């Protein structure tokens, strides 16, 4: 512990961080390993030899800081696109606006509907990634998510979506509107959105074993996936612990 010379109060390395007050520090590396492996709450509880509710609380304490660990700016060519994730009230026992689903379930309607939550992802060619759960798929929401992160210094690649194009044009960002992912135009091979769409695919495949993620917790899971993408095969349990106290890969 340390003592502040000004106020004389003591503190330690996790004071006023999401890990403050959590006990059994010797089991934190095992919890971090479980998160690297992406195992369920039940399996994480078994690995750490803690109760199921403790494993759930630890997961979201570890993710609280990582949810906001995003790059301050993206560089060079940036790809931006939205994907949609089924709305979920997982964990809520009463007051549901619809009939409960089992193990994730399916939407009542095909295609995009009010049940699908828009998630915006922007990614540069160096792998730096930012994302946001949008309250609405409109220019205002996209500006709140990408304003100052994607700027006129970038070359912005996106599809022909009305909201994302309006954001780019209002911000004066050089924009390349692409009709669909796929083979780049031979005249401009560097401009495409294949990387961001590949990220969408990896994200959804990674989320699949969780059988639905509560929409209120979705930013935490995006932060979780972001650290795995940022560190790749080099990720270690210490990386998750440092990320949990505010020293993530982008901080």
């Amino acid at each position: 512990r340390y003592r502040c010379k000004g106020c004389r109060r003591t503190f330690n390395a996790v004071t006023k961080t999401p890990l403050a007050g959590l006990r059994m520090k010797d089991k934190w590396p095992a919890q971090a390993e479980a998160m690297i492996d992406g195992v369920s709450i039940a399996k994480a509880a078994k690995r750490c030899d803690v109760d199921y509710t403790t494993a759930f609380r630890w997961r979201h304490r570890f993710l609280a800081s990582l949810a906001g660990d995003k790059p301050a700016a993206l560089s060079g060519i940036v790809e931006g696109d939205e994907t949609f994730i089924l709305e979920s009230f997982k964990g809520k026992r009463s007051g549901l606006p619809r009939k409960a689903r089992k193990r994730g379930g399916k939407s009542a309607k095909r295609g995009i509907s009010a049940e699908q939550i828009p998630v915006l992802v922007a990614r540069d060619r160096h792998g730096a990634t930012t994302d946001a759960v949008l309250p609405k798929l409109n220019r205002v929401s996209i500006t709140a998510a990408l304003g100052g992160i994607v700027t006129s210094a970038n070359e912005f690649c996106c599809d022909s979506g009305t909201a994302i194009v309006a954001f780019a044009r209002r911000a004066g960002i050089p924009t390349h509107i692409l009709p669909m992912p796929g083979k780049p135009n031979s005249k401009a091979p560097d401009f495409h959105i294949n990387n961001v769409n590949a990220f969408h695919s990896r994200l959804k495949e990674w989320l699949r074993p969780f059988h639905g993620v509560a929409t209120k917790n979705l930013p935490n899971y995006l932060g979780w996936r972001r650290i795995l993408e940022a560190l790749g095969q080099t990720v270690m349990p210490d990386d998750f612990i440092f990320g949990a106290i505010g020293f993530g890969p982008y901080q």
Side-chain angles (χ1 to χ4, degrees), residues 70 78-84 118-122 130-151 156-171 173:
K70 301 177 183 180
V78 175
E79 301 175 32
D81 197 13
E82 67 279 348
T83 189
F84 294 86
V119 174
L120 178 69
V121 178
T130 190
D131 48 54
V133 179
L134 301 180
K136 290 184 178 180
L137 185 55
N138 57 24
R139 182 187 61 81
V140 174
S141 297
I142 293 177
T143 300
L146 298 184
I149 299 174
V150 182
T151 68
F156 190 52
C157 299
C158 62
D159 62 14
S160 56
T162 304
I164 198 165
V165 171
F167 151 73
R169 288 180 173 169
R170 179 69 69 90
I173 301 169

Side-chain angles (χ1 to χ4, degrees), residues 4 23 29 31 37-38 54 64 68 78 88 99-100 105 118-119 133 136 140-141 171 175-176 245:
C4 173
R23 302 185 184 278
Q31 169 67 17
D37 294 339
T54 299
V78 175
S88 174
K99 185 179 179 180
V119 174
V133 179
K136 290 184 178 180
V140 174
S141 297
T175 307
H176 304 273
I245 61 173

Side-chain angles (χ1 to χ4, degrees), residues 28-39 47 237 240:
W28 290 2
Q31 169 67 17
E33 287 179 358
M35 297 186 71
I36 292 172
D37 294 339
V39 302
R47 282 194 189 190
F240 265 91

